[in-house]
Amino acid sequence: MSDRAHPSTPVPPQIPVQRSSSSITSEHTRVHDSADDPKERVPADPQLHGGEGESAIPEDKKEELLENQEEYWEHDPENPRNWSTGKKWVMIAIVSFYTFVSPLASSMMAPALELIAEHFNITSPTIIAMTLSIFLLTFAIGPLFLGPMSEMFGRTWILHISNLLFIAFNLGCAFSPTAGSLIGFRILAGFAGSAPIACGGGTISDLFSERDRASAMAVYSLGPLIGPVVGPIAGGFIAQSIGFKYIFIIISGLSALAAAVGIPFLRETYHPVIRLRRARKAMDPEKAAQNHPHLMKEHGSMAHRLWVDLSRPFILLTRSFVCFLLSAYMALMYGIYYLMFATFPDLFTGIYHFSIGTSGLAYIGLGAGFILSTLFGASFADKVYLSLAQKNGGVGKPEYRIPALIFGSLFVPIGVFWYGWSAQAQIHWIMPIIGTGIFGFGMMATFLPIQLYLVDTFTYAASALAAASVFRSMLGFAFPLFGEQMFAALGYGGGNSLLAGLAIVFGIPFPVWLWFYGEGVRQRSSLAR
């Protein structure tokens, strides 16, 4: 959520900078709002080195500037940007494991939905789907609360405590006596499991500068997308061999393993919390408040941070046409993604006669698409951004993310059409799986440029990402609830054609319009940098 952790001095915009695209930041990170007081500007420091620099996911550039003036931080050895490479990657590995486990839990039970319905005597398709997707409802809302809490108490405590609660709630799912209690524990597990999403992106920005932005964002995005794919592959065989309740027991075991590694080795990375702890330890509270007035104001009140972090995403969604449509497109793809999870068991066990165990292998297509997109899509986006920025004197613009978005958006409807009509025709099972792979490639190829565009464009970048995250998780919850009824009425071909049509309407004309007119919209918006 709020990831304002790394104040840094901006490079003057008139000096051409020749770097990779992940090192060319947008013009908005180089130049502050013309309305800013000139006294608040900090001259460029030519001595920055290593990983030092601006936040990868800044919350508010003006606040970063003020925090930077309160204490000379860039070269401090306690600054996580100045840790050794090995220590940084240990932190990333631990947080990535946390971030992998909770999304995995969101879908691991998908192949076992029929067994769960039989066990609890559930006959309603909506209730069956809800046992799977209800997790995403609180998974979407949780970061709005856990993000500001991590600013009060640090990222590590929020990660550890939420993970321990996540263990308990998944054990509750395993031993639930009724369908109602299973849904209740899934709601609680979704909230606790959202902590890595609330803190994970911020941890990346704590440790790595803007020069690593594109790569770090790609790695961060991969975990929440790959986790839901790996989960059903394992979940199918677990449910078939030893029973569906062991799906939740194994999730709890993985979370316990994460706790065993994370609690002793994970260190706090959030810069304001590190600095405030040091200030409070070294001096009396009154003197700390005098020396760090802005840090004390922004990070000392839980009610203030909760209000800011709860209200800003909705302000951005309702007052920014650009943020709303980009978030809606991400949400549509996420809804289709989870709709596939809910309908794969019926398709591959009912039509293709897979066993419950082997039906989990149907999710491999999505995973392959995500991995190929991460390997090639991020590289393509880097090259396009670099090329366009070099033509602009080495200064990047958010609009330079758009060509990669247009490229990725072409694959989304192709994959959905392919998947739907090959399933409708009941041709060889590999064909719908190939279709999901094409969709997965397009989904990942569009996620990265959308997120980077939101970060580059909006003054409150982390809130813009939070707005997109809440929107997409809500549709991920809602889509599976009507999926079976839609496919019963329209068939796999007709239903997926409807979804592909929506992907075309949202995903292709708007990015083209944004390429031509986005800069003018930014200049007129009070929410953009």
Side-chain angles (χ1 to χ4, degrees), residues 339-390:
L339 182 56
M340 288 181 175
F341 285 144
T343 56
F344 271 16
D346 282 341
L347 174 64
F348 288 100
T349 59
I351 295 178
Y352 290 103
H353 307 295
F354 284 20
S355 67
I356 292 176
T358 55
S359 68
L361 299 177
Y363 299 82
I364 290 177
L366 286 166
F370 291 147
I371 292 171
L372 289 173
S373 184
T374 302
L375 293 175
F376 300 109
S379 175
F380 172 78
D382 272 358
K383 290 177 181 177
V384 170
Y385 190 89
L386 173 60
S387 175
L388 293 171
Q390 286 177 334

Side-chain angles (χ1 to χ4, degrees), residues 272-294:
V273 167
I274 294 173
R275 294 161 67 185
L276 284 173
R277 286 176 180 174
R278 181 170 66 178
R280 287 165 174 162
K281 185 176 181 181
M283 60 186 75
D284 63 74
E286 291 185 4
K287 190 173 181 181
Q290 292 174 356
N291 289 352
H292 303 274
H294 188 71

Side-chain angles (χ1 to χ4, degrees), residues 16 24 40-41 58 75 111 125 141 243 284 287 370 462 509:
I24 298 178
E40 291 182 359
R41 298 177 186 272
H75 307 296
I141 297 170
D284 63 74
K287 190 173 181 181
F370 291 147

Side-chain angles (χ1 to χ4, degrees), residues 147-428:
M149 288 176 67
S150 73
E151 294 184 337
M152 302 299 102
F153 309 112
R155 304 197 197 282
T156 53
W157 281 108
I158 296 300
L159 284 169
H160 296 330
I161 293 173
S162 296
N163 184 57
L164 294 174
L165 291 173
F166 189 64
I167 295 171
F169 296 144
N170 275 287
L171 289 175
C173 291
F175 297 102
S176 294
T178 64
S181 60
L182 172 64
I183 291 173
F185 279 118
R186 287 283 286 174
I187 291 172
L188 295 172
F191 188 89
S194 68
I197 303 301
C199 303
T203 301
I204 292 171
S205 69
D206 294 342
L207 294 166
F208 296 101
S209 71
E210 80 281 359
R211 291 182 291 277
D212 305 313
R213 178 182 293 174
S215 299
M217 189 74 80
V219 172
Y220 170 65
S221 299
L222 189 61
L225 290 174
I226 285 292
V229 174
V230 173
I233 295 173
F237 289 108
I238 293 168
Q240 180 177 284
S241 57
I242 54 178
F244 73 85
K245 77 173 184 179
Y246 287 94
I247 292 173
F248 303 107
I249 292 173
I250 288 172
I251 292 169
S252 298
L254 289 172
S255 298
L257 178 62
V261 175
I263 291 174
F265 295 110
L266 187 64
R267 297 290 176 264
E268 184 57 56
T269 62
Y270 186 50
H271 295 212
V273 167
I274 294 173
R275 294 161 67 185
L276 284 173
R277 286 176 180 174
R278 181 170 66 178
R280 287 165 174 162
K281 185 176 181 181
M283 60 186 75
D284 63 74
E286 291 185 4
K287 190 173 181 181
Q290 292 174 356
N291 289 352
H292 303 274
H294 188 71
L295 283 170
M296 292 293 181
K297 177 184 176 182
E298 289 300 316
H299 306 284
S301 168
M302 171 65 74
H304 171 72
R305 290 300 337 142
L306 275 173
W307 171 250
V308 166
D309 282 61
L310 284 170
S311 61
R312 276 182 183 163
F314 297 101
I315 291 171
L316 284 163
L317 282 175
T318 54
R319 290 180 53 195
S320 171
F321 177 67
V322 171
C323 183
F324 175 81
L325 280 185
L326 288 176
S327 299
Y329 182 47
M330 289 183 73
L332 173 64
M333 289 187 292
Y334 213 66
I336 296 171
Y337 181 44
Y338 270 87
L339 182 56
M340 288 181 175
F341 285 144
T343 56
F344 271 16
D346 282 341
L347 174 64
F348 288 100
T349 59
I351 295 178
Y352 290 103
H353 307 295
F354 284 20
S355 67
I356 292 176
T358 55
S359 68
L361 299 177
Y363 299 82
I364 290 177
L366 286 166
F370 291 147
I371 292 171
L372 289 173
S373 184
T374 302
L375 293 175
F376 300 109
S379 175
F380 172 78
D382 272 358
K383 290 177 181 177
V384 170
Y385 190 89
L386 173 60
S387 175
L388 293 171
Q390 286 177 334
K391 292 177 182 178
N392 194 41
V395 178
K397 296 181 180 180
E399 286 70 37
Y400 296 164
R401 310 285 185 190
I402 299 302
L405 171 58
I406 296 172
F407 169 77
S409 67
L410 299 176
F411 289 88
V412 173
I414 292 172
V416 177
F417 276 126
W418 187 312
Y419 163 69
W421 285 105
S422 59
Q424 180 75 26
Q426 301 184 22
I427 56 180
H428 192 275

